[in-house]
mmCIF file of all heavy atoms in Angstrom:
data_model
loop_
_atom_site.group_PDB
_atom_site.id
_atom_site.type_symbol
_atom_site.label_atom_id
_atom_site.label_comp_id
_atom_site.label_asym_id
_atom_site.label_seq_id
_atom_site.Cartn_x
_atom_site.Cartn_y
_atom_site.Cartn_z
ATOM 1 N N ARG A 659 7.149 10.977 2.450
ATOM 2 C CA ARG A 659 7.571 11.073 1.032
ATOM 3 C C ARG A 659 9.098 10.641 1.002
ATOM 4 O O ARG A 659 9.840 10.774 1.887
ATOM 5 C CB ARG A 659 7.516 12.632 0.601
ATOM 6 C CG ARG A 659 8.260 13.012 -0.661
ATOM 7 C CD ARG A 659 8.316 14.509 -0.719
ATOM 8 N NE ARG A 659 9.395 14.979 -1.553
ATOM 9 C CZ ARG A 659 9.161 15.464 -2.785
ATOM 10 N NH1 ARG A 659 7.949 15.714 -3.278
ATOM 11 N NH2 ARG A 659 10.155 15.859 -3.575
ATOM 12 N N ILE A 660 9.441 10.094 -0.230
ATOM 13 C CA ILE A 660 10.873 9.857 -0.487
ATOM 14 C C ILE A 660 11.139 10.458 -1.783
ATOM 15 O O ILE A 660 10.410 10.542 -2.741
ATOM 16 C CB ILE A 660 11.166 8.365 -0.497
ATOM 17 C CG1 ILE A 660 10.227 7.604 -1.370
ATOM 18 C CG2 ILE A 660 11.114 7.825 0.932
ATOM 19 C CD1 ILE A 660 10.577 6.097 -1.498
ATOM 20 N N ASP A 661 12.365 11.093 -1.876
ATOM 21 C CA ASP A 661 12.816 11.635 -3.207
ATOM 22 C C ASP A 661 13.163 10.580 -4.193
ATOM 23 O O ASP A 661 13.279 9.376 -3.877
ATOM 24 C CB ASP A 661 14.003 12.561 -2.927
ATOM 25 C CG ASP A 661 13.719 13.646 -2.004
ATOM 26 O OD1 ASP A 661 12.541 14.198 -2.164
ATOM 27 O OD2 ASP A 661 14.463 14.150 -1.192
ATOM 28 N N ALA A 662 13.393 11.063 -5.370
ATOM 29 C CA ALA A 662 13.799 10.083 -6.452
ATOM 30 C C ALA A 662 14.963 9.262 -6.174
ATOM 31 O O ALA A 662 15.005 8.056 -6.456
ATOM 32 C CB ALA A 662 13.965 10.830 -7.808
ATOM 33 N N VAL A 663 16.087 9.878 -5.609
ATOM 34 C CA VAL A 663 17.185 9.234 -5.270
ATOM 35 C C VAL A 663 17.309 9.509 -3.678
ATOM 36 O O VAL A 663 17.589 10.615 -3.341
ATOM 37 C CB VAL A 663 18.469 9.553 -5.912
ATOM 38 C CG1 VAL A 663 19.659 8.908 -5.430
ATOM 39 C CG2 VAL A 663 18.338 9.347 -7.456
ATOM 40 N N SER A 664 17.304 8.484 -2.790
ATOM 41 C CA SER A 664 17.348 8.705 -1.328
ATOM 42 C C SER A 664 17.717 7.531 -0.661
ATOM 43 O O SER A 664 17.849 6.434 -1.155
ATOM 44 C CB SER A 664 15.927 9.177 -0.931
ATOM 45 O OG SER A 664 14.959 8.209 -1.215
ATOM 46 N N THR A 665 18.061 7.638 0.620
ATOM 47 C CA THR A 665 18.458 6.597 1.561
ATOM 48 C C THR A 665 17.429 6.577 2.656
ATOM 49 O O THR A 665 17.105 7.580 3.320
ATOM 50 C CB THR A 665 19.813 6.803 2.121
ATOM 51 O OG1 THR A 665 20.777 6.693 1.077
ATOM 52 C CG2 THR A 665 20.164 5.596 3.139
ATOM 53 N N VAL A 666 16.731 5.441 2.867
ATOM 54 C CA VAL A 666 15.742 5.336 3.933
ATOM 55 C C VAL A 666 16.401 4.489 5.025
ATOM 56 O O VAL A 666 16.988 3.442 4.832
ATOM 57 C CB VAL A 666 14.469 4.680 3.470
ATOM 58 C CG1 VAL A 666 13.487 4.408 4.573
ATOM 59 C CG2 VAL A 666 13.777 5.467 2.304
ATOM 60 N N GLN A 667 16.235 4.966 6.288
ATOM 61 C CA GLN A 667 16.812 4.279 7.498
ATOM 62 C C GLN A 667 15.726 3.825 8.364
ATOM 63 O O GLN A 667 14.680 4.493 8.646
ATOM 64 C CB GLN A 667 17.803 5.345 8.170
ATOM 65 C CG GLN A 667 19.045 5.603 7.447
ATOM 66 C CD GLN A 667 19.916 6.439 8.295
ATOM 67 O OE1 GLN A 667 19.504 7.034 9.385
ATOM 68 N NE2 GLN A 667 21.165 6.611 7.859
ATOM 69 N N VAL A 668 15.858 2.696 8.881
ATOM 70 C CA VAL A 668 14.836 2.207 9.838
ATOM 71 C C VAL A 668 15.665 1.536 11.023
ATOM 72 O O VAL A 668 16.571 0.770 10.863
ATOM 73 C CB VAL A 668 13.883 1.080 9.280
ATOM 74 C CG1 VAL A 668 14.651 -0.020 8.639
ATOM 75 C CG2 VAL A 668 12.930 0.686 10.366
ATOM 76 N N THR A 669 15.392 1.899 12.284
ATOM 77 C CA THR A 669 16.015 1.356 13.494
ATOM 78 C C THR A 669 15.045 0.678 14.307
ATOM 79 O O THR A 669 13.898 1.090 14.503
ATOM 80 C CB THR A 669 16.626 2.590 14.158
ATOM 81 O OG1 THR A 669 17.607 3.239 13.393
ATOM 82 C CG2 THR A 669 17.411 2.046 15.404
ATOM 83 N N PHE A 670 15.481 -0.591 14.816
ATOM 84 C CA PHE A 670 14.581 -1.275 15.781
ATOM 85 C C PHE A 670 15.517 -2.104 16.710
ATOM 86 O O PHE A 670 16.785 -2.174 16.449
ATOM 87 C CB PHE A 670 13.678 -2.268 14.989
ATOM 88 C CG PHE A 670 14.407 -3.235 14.031
ATOM 89 C CD1 PHE A 670 14.856 -4.449 14.430
ATOM 90 C CD2 PHE A 670 14.623 -2.856 12.720
ATOM 91 C CE1 PHE A 670 15.535 -5.318 13.610
ATOM 92 C CE2 PHE A 670 15.341 -3.701 11.819
ATOM 93 C CZ PHE A 670 15.659 -4.921 12.272
ATOM 94 N N THR A 671 15.003 -2.606 17.666
ATOM 95 C CA THR A 671 15.739 -3.418 18.676
ATOM 96 C C THR A 671 15.527 -4.987 18.252
ATOM 97 O O THR A 671 14.396 -5.383 18.036
ATOM 98 C CB THR A 671 15.123 -3.164 20.118
ATOM 99 O OG1 THR A 671 15.351 -1.817 20.458
ATOM 100 C CG2 THR A 671 15.848 -4.138 21.042
ATOM 101 N N LEU A 672 16.576 -5.636 18.126
ATOM 102 C CA LEU A 672 16.452 -7.088 17.713
ATOM 103 C C LEU A 672 15.810 -7.828 18.900
ATOM 104 O O LEU A 672 16.278 -7.825 19.982
ATOM 105 C CB LEU A 672 17.896 -7.606 17.480
ATOM 106 C CG LEU A 672 17.937 -8.925 16.779
ATOM 107 C CD1 LEU A 672 17.379 -8.799 15.319
ATOM 108 C CD2 LEU A 672 19.349 -9.498 16.727
ATOM 109 N N PRO A 673 14.878 -8.556 18.555
ATOM 110 C CA PRO A 673 14.147 -9.405 19.597
ATOM 111 C C PRO A 673 15.061 -10.489 20.088
ATOM 112 O O PRO A 673 16.032 -10.788 19.414
ATOM 113 C CB PRO A 673 12.840 -10.013 18.878
ATOM 114 C CG PRO A 673 12.683 -9.133 17.637
ATOM 115 C CD PRO A 673 14.097 -8.646 17.291
ATOM 116 N N PRO A 674 14.729 -11.189 21.169
ATOM 117 C CA PRO A 674 15.567 -12.270 21.682
ATOM 118 C C PRO A 674 15.337 -13.538 20.841
ATOM 119 O O PRO A 674 14.832 -14.496 21.182
ATOM 120 C CB PRO A 674 14.912 -12.525 23.047
ATOM 121 C CG PRO A 674 13.518 -12.052 23.001
ATOM 122 C CD PRO A 674 13.543 -10.863 22.037
ATOM 123 N N LEU A 675 15.977 -13.479 19.650
ATOM 124 C CA LEU A 675 15.902 -14.616 18.664
ATOM 125 C C LEU A 675 16.925 -15.693 18.956
ATOM 126 O O LEU A 675 17.945 -15.522 19.525
ATOM 127 C CB LEU A 675 16.224 -14.064 17.269
ATOM 128 C CG LEU A 675 15.399 -12.949 16.647
ATOM 129 C CD1 LEU A 675 15.859 -12.572 15.357
ATOM 130 C CD2 LEU A 675 14.004 -13.451 16.530
ATOM 131 N N TYR A 676 16.371 -16.893 18.581
ATOM 132 C CA TYR A 676 17.200 -18.044 18.693
ATOM 133 C C TYR A 676 18.465 -17.854 17.881
ATOM 134 O O TYR A 676 18.353 -17.394 16.797
ATOM 135 C CB TYR A 676 16.295 -19.232 18.151
ATOM 136 C CG TYR A 676 16.956 -20.567 18.175
ATOM 137 C CD1 TYR A 676 16.813 -21.469 19.309
ATOM 138 C CD2 TYR A 676 17.689 -21.102 17.079
ATOM 139 C CE1 TYR A 676 17.381 -22.703 19.224
ATOM 140 C CE2 TYR A 676 18.353 -22.305 17.184
ATOM 141 C CZ TYR A 676 18.074 -23.122 18.225
ATOM 142 O OH TYR A 676 18.674 -24.281 18.170
ATOM 143 N N PRO A 677 19.676 -18.292 18.295
ATOM 144 C CA PRO A 677 20.865 -18.127 17.576
ATOM 145 C C PRO A 677 20.697 -18.830 16.174
ATOM 146 O O PRO A 677 20.137 -19.895 16.023
ATOM 147 C CB PRO A 677 21.915 -18.852 18.434
ATOM 148 C CG PRO A 677 21.390 -18.771 19.785
ATOM 149 C CD PRO A 677 19.834 -18.905 19.643
ATOM 150 N N GLY A 678 21.347 -18.214 15.137
ATOM 151 C CA GLY A 678 21.364 -18.747 13.840
ATOM 152 C C GLY A 678 21.291 -17.745 12.730
ATOM 153 O O GLY A 678 21.635 -16.456 13.094
ATOM 154 N N ARG A 679 21.163 -18.057 11.623
ATOM 155 C CA ARG A 679 21.160 -17.119 10.421
ATOM 156 C C ARG A 679 19.756 -16.681 10.036
ATOM 157 O O ARG A 679 18.839 -17.480 9.938
ATOM 158 C CB ARG A 679 21.924 -17.728 9.260
ATOM 159 C CG ARG A 679 21.882 -16.927 8.000
ATOM 160 C CD ARG A 679 23.174 -17.096 7.134
ATOM 161 N NE ARG A 679 24.298 -16.613 7.829
ATOM 162 C CZ ARG A 679 25.552 -16.411 7.171
ATOM 163 N NH1 ARG A 679 25.691 -16.713 5.833
ATOM 164 N NH2 ARG A 679 26.646 -15.988 7.811
ATOM 165 N N TYR A 680 19.587 -15.460 9.769
ATOM 166 C CA TYR A 680 18.348 -14.781 9.344
ATOM 167 C C TYR A 680 18.482 -14.018 8.058
ATOM 168 O O TYR A 680 19.538 -13.527 7.783
ATOM 169 C CB TYR A 680 17.875 -13.921 10.489
ATOM 170 C CG TYR A 680 17.474 -14.595 11.700
ATOM 171 C CD1 TYR A 680 18.396 -15.031 12.663
ATOM 172 C CD2 TYR A 680 16.184 -15.026 11.983
ATOM 173 C CE1 TYR A 680 18.219 -15.807 13.760
ATOM 174 C CE2 TYR A 680 15.817 -15.819 13.055
ATOM 175 C CZ TYR A 680 16.853 -16.222 13.971
ATOM 176 O OH TYR A 680 16.589 -16.860 15.088
ATOM 177 N N THR A 681 17.484 -13.998 7.260
ATOM 178 C CA THR A 681 17.427 -13.271 6.004
ATOM 179 C C THR A 681 16.389 -12.167 6.078
ATOM 180 O O THR A 681 15.507 -12.215 6.833
ATOM 181 C CB THR A 681 17.118 -14.066 4.760
ATOM 182 O OG1 THR A 681 15.851 -14.804 4.933
ATOM 183 C CG2 THR A 681 18.208 -15.304 4.744
ATOM 184 N N LEU A 682 16.652 -11.167 5.109
ATOM 185 C CA LEU A 682 15.765 -9.962 5.022
ATOM 186 C C LEU A 682 15.083 -9.908 3.750
ATOM 187 O O LEU A 682 15.708 -9.988 2.620
ATOM 188 C CB LEU A 682 16.593 -8.615 5.237
ATOM 189 C CG LEU A 682 17.214 -8.514 6.597
ATOM 190 C CD1 LEU A 682 18.150 -7.294 6.580
ATOM 191 C CD2 LEU A 682 16.245 -8.218 7.768
ATOM 192 N N ASP A 683 13.800 -9.819 3.701
ATOM 193 C CA ASP A 683 13.018 -9.539 2.410
ATOM 194 C C ASP A 683 12.668 -8.110 2.516
ATOM 195 O O ASP A 683 12.224 -7.560 3.567
ATOM 196 C CB ASP A 683 11.809 -10.414 2.386
ATOM 197 C CG ASP A 683 12.006 -11.846 2.302
ATOM 198 O OD1 ASP A 683 13.130 -12.263 2.024
ATOM 199 O OD2 ASP A 683 10.981 -12.617 2.614
ATOM 200 N N VAL A 684 12.767 -7.345 1.350
ATOM 201 C CA VAL A 684 12.369 -5.943 1.352
ATOM 202 C C VAL A 684 11.349 -5.762 0.200
ATOM 203 O O VAL A 684 11.365 -6.436 -0.881
ATOM 204 C CB VAL A 684 13.556 -5.108 1.036
ATOM 205 C CG1 VAL A 684 14.605 -5.167 2.216
ATOM 206 C CG2 VAL A 684 14.306 -5.450 -0.268
ATOM 207 N N SER A 685 10.415 -4.864 0.443
ATOM 208 C CA SER A 685 9.435 -4.565 -0.635
ATOM 209 C C SER A 685 9.038 -3.023 -0.506
ATOM 210 O O SER A 685 9.100 -2.380 0.533
ATOM 211 C CB SER A 685 8.198 -5.417 -0.338
ATOM 212 O OG SER A 685 7.558 -5.049 0.831
ATOM 213 N N LEU A 686 8.679 -2.486 -1.697
ATOM 214 C CA LEU A 686 8.142 -1.201 -1.751
ATOM 215 C C LEU A 686 6.900 -1.068 -2.686
ATOM 216 O O LEU A 686 6.887 -1.700 -3.707
ATOM 217 C CB LEU A 686 9.242 -0.298 -2.391
ATOM 218 C CG LEU A 686 8.888 1.132 -2.809
ATOM 219 C CD1 LEU A 686 8.584 1.983 -1.578
ATOM 220 C CD2 LEU A 686 9.938 1.776 -3.684
ATOM 221 N N SER A 687 5.909 -0.389 -2.179
ATOM 222 C CA SER A 687 4.712 -0.243 -2.992
ATOM 223 C C SER A 687 4.194 1.174 -2.801
ATOM 224 O O SER A 687 4.598 1.934 -1.749
ATOM 225 C CB SER A 687 3.661 -1.199 -2.594
ATOM 226 O OG SER A 687 3.269 -1.080 -1.235
ATOM 227 N N ALA A 688 3.428 1.643 -3.696
ATOM 228 C CA ALA A 688 2.708 3.007 -3.593
ATOM 229 C C ALA A 688 1.612 2.904 -2.570
ATOM 230 O O ALA A 688 1.231 1.940 -2.102
ATOM 231 C CB ALA A 688 2.284 3.424 -5.053
ATOM 232 N N GLU A 689 1.077 4.129 -2.383
ATOM 233 C CA GLU A 689 -0.040 4.204 -1.367
ATOM 234 C C GLU A 689 -1.208 3.373 -1.772
ATOM 235 O O GLU A 689 -1.921 2.857 -0.901
ATOM 236 C CB GLU A 689 -0.295 5.705 -1.201
ATOM 237 C CG GLU A 689 -1.356 5.851 -0.090
ATOM 238 C CD GLU A 689 -1.653 7.282 0.140
ATOM 239 O OE1 GLU A 689 -1.301 8.192 -0.832
ATOM 240 O OE2 GLU A 689 -2.241 7.770 1.196
ATOM 241 N N ASP A 690 -1.355 3.188 -3.082
ATOM 242 C CA ASP A 690 -2.566 2.437 -3.491
ATOM 243 C C ASP A 690 -2.291 0.976 -3.462
ATOM 244 O O ASP A 690 -3.178 0.058 -3.874
ATOM 245 C CB ASP A 690 -2.937 2.786 -5.026
ATOM 246 C CG ASP A 690 -1.846 2.584 -5.988
ATOM 247 O OD1 ASP A 690 -0.751 1.989 -5.605
ATOM 248 O OD2 ASP A 690 -1.956 2.970 -7.156
ATOM 249 N N GLY A 691 -1.179 0.437 -2.995
ATOM 250 C CA GLY A 691 -0.762 -0.980 -2.911
ATOM 251 C C GLY A 691 -0.144 -1.550 -4.096
ATOM 252 O O GLY A 691 0.200 -2.742 -4.096
ATOM 253 N N ASN A 692 0.184 -0.780 -5.149
ATOM 254 C CA ASN A 692 0.807 -1.273 -6.408
ATOM 255 C C ASN A 692 2.239 -1.457 -6.126
ATOM 256 O O ASN A 692 3.023 -0.550 -5.721
ATOM 257 C CB ASN A 692 0.585 -0.307 -7.512
ATOM 258 C CG ASN A 692 1.244 -0.800 -8.812
ATOM 259 O OD1 ASN A 692 1.225 -2.030 -9.053
ATOM 260 N ND2 ASN A 692 1.800 0.138 -9.509
ATOM 261 N N PHE A 693 2.763 -2.665 -6.189
ATOM 262 C CA PHE A 693 4.149 -3.003 -5.902
ATOM 263 C C PHE A 693 5.078 -2.347 -6.978
ATOM 264 O O PHE A 693 4.891 -2.438 -8.168
ATOM 265 C CB PHE A 693 4.435 -4.554 -5.912
ATOM 266 C CG PHE A 693 4.190 -5.203 -4.617
ATOM 267 C CD1 PHE A 693 3.125 -5.894 -4.331
ATOM 268 C CD2 PHE A 693 5.073 -5.022 -3.552
ATOM 269 C CE1 PHE A 693 2.847 -6.581 -3.086
ATOM 270 C CE2 PHE A 693 4.877 -5.550 -2.331
ATOM 271 C CZ PHE A 693 3.783 -6.414 -2.075
ATOM 272 N N MET A 694 6.120 -1.737 -6.423
ATOM 273 C CA MET A 694 7.183 -1.114 -7.271
ATOM 274 C C MET A 694 8.509 -1.939 -7.282
ATOM 275 O O MET A 694 9.219 -1.948 -8.332
ATOM 276 C CB MET A 694 7.431 0.279 -6.780
ATOM 277 C CG MET A 694 6.180 1.187 -6.723
ATOM 278 S SD MET A 694 6.465 2.894 -6.195
ATOM 279 C CE MET A 694 7.327 3.416 -7.624
ATOM 280 N N ASP A 695 8.813 -2.686 -6.247
ATOM 281 C CA ASP A 695 9.992 -3.510 -6.114
ATOM 282 C C ASP A 695 9.832 -4.408 -4.949
ATOM 283 O O ASP A 695 9.186 -4.062 -3.949
ATOM 284 C CB ASP A 695 11.272 -2.532 -5.975
ATOM 285 C CG ASP A 695 12.421 -3.389 -6.370
ATOM 286 O OD1 ASP A 695 12.315 -4.603 -6.876
ATOM 287 O OD2 ASP A 695 13.526 -2.821 -6.213
ATOM 288 N N GLN A 696 10.353 -5.627 -5.080
ATOM 289 C CA GLN A 696 10.329 -6.537 -4.103
ATOM 290 C C GLN A 696 11.457 -7.593 -4.237
ATOM 291 O O GLN A 696 11.720 -8.029 -5.348
ATOM 292 C CB GLN A 696 8.979 -7.380 -4.175
ATOM 293 C CG GLN A 696 8.725 -8.369 -3.005
ATOM 294 C CD GLN A 696 7.372 -9.037 -3.200
ATOM 295 O OE1 GLN A 696 6.634 -8.769 -4.125
ATOM 296 N NE2 GLN A 696 7.087 -9.782 -2.126
ATOM 297 N N ILE A 697 12.213 -7.866 -3.165
ATOM 298 C CA ILE A 697 13.364 -8.851 -3.223
ATOM 299 C C ILE A 697 13.305 -9.795 -2.040
ATOM 300 O O ILE A 697 13.229 -9.391 -0.839
ATOM 301 C CB ILE A 697 14.676 -8.047 -3.171
ATOM 302 C CG1 ILE A 697 14.766 -6.849 -4.225
ATOM 303 C CG2 ILE A 697 15.872 -8.963 -3.414
ATOM 304 C CD1 ILE A 697 15.975 -6.058 -4.116
ATOM 305 N N GLU A 698 13.374 -11.035 -2.399
ATOM 306 C CA GLU A 698 13.456 -11.979 -1.344
ATOM 307 C C GLU A 698 14.930 -12.265 -0.907
ATOM 308 O O GLU A 698 15.792 -12.249 -1.816
ATOM 309 C CB GLU A 698 12.880 -13.344 -1.768
ATOM 310 C CG GLU A 698 11.445 -13.314 -2.129
ATOM 311 C CD GLU A 698 10.956 -14.723 -2.672
ATOM 312 O OE1 GLU A 698 11.802 -15.544 -2.783
ATOM 313 O OE2 GLU A 698 9.803 -14.830 -2.905
ATOM 314 N N SER A 699 15.226 -12.403 0.304
ATOM 315 C CA SER A 699 16.542 -12.717 0.816
ATOM 316 C C SER A 699 17.582 -11.680 0.317
ATOM 317 O O SER A 699 18.627 -12.032 -0.276
ATOM 318 C CB SER A 699 17.071 -14.189 0.325
ATOM 319 O OG SER A 699 16.104 -15.094 0.850
ATOM 320 N N ALA A 700 17.192 -10.380 0.507
ATOM 321 C CA ALA A 700 18.144 -9.369 -0.015
ATOM 322 C C ALA A 700 19.460 -9.334 0.714
ATOM 323 O O ALA A 700 20.439 -8.947 0.226
ATOM 324 C CB ALA A 700 17.382 -8.008 0.156
ATOM 325 N N ALA A 701 19.410 -9.698 2.026
ATOM 326 C CA ALA A 701 20.665 -9.790 2.841
ATOM 327 C C ALA A 701 20.489 -10.713 3.983
ATOM 328 O O ALA A 701 19.385 -11.227 4.183
ATOM 329 C CB ALA A 701 20.988 -8.374 3.430
#
């Protein structure tokens, strides 16, 4: 569950990626799969 206003944290180990620039896409959907928000190249 997430509250109406909240901060979600995710931690992972960065794989041995080739040097260069990478972008992050983020998405959020409900349990039934209905998209609530989606951003390409968020950061």
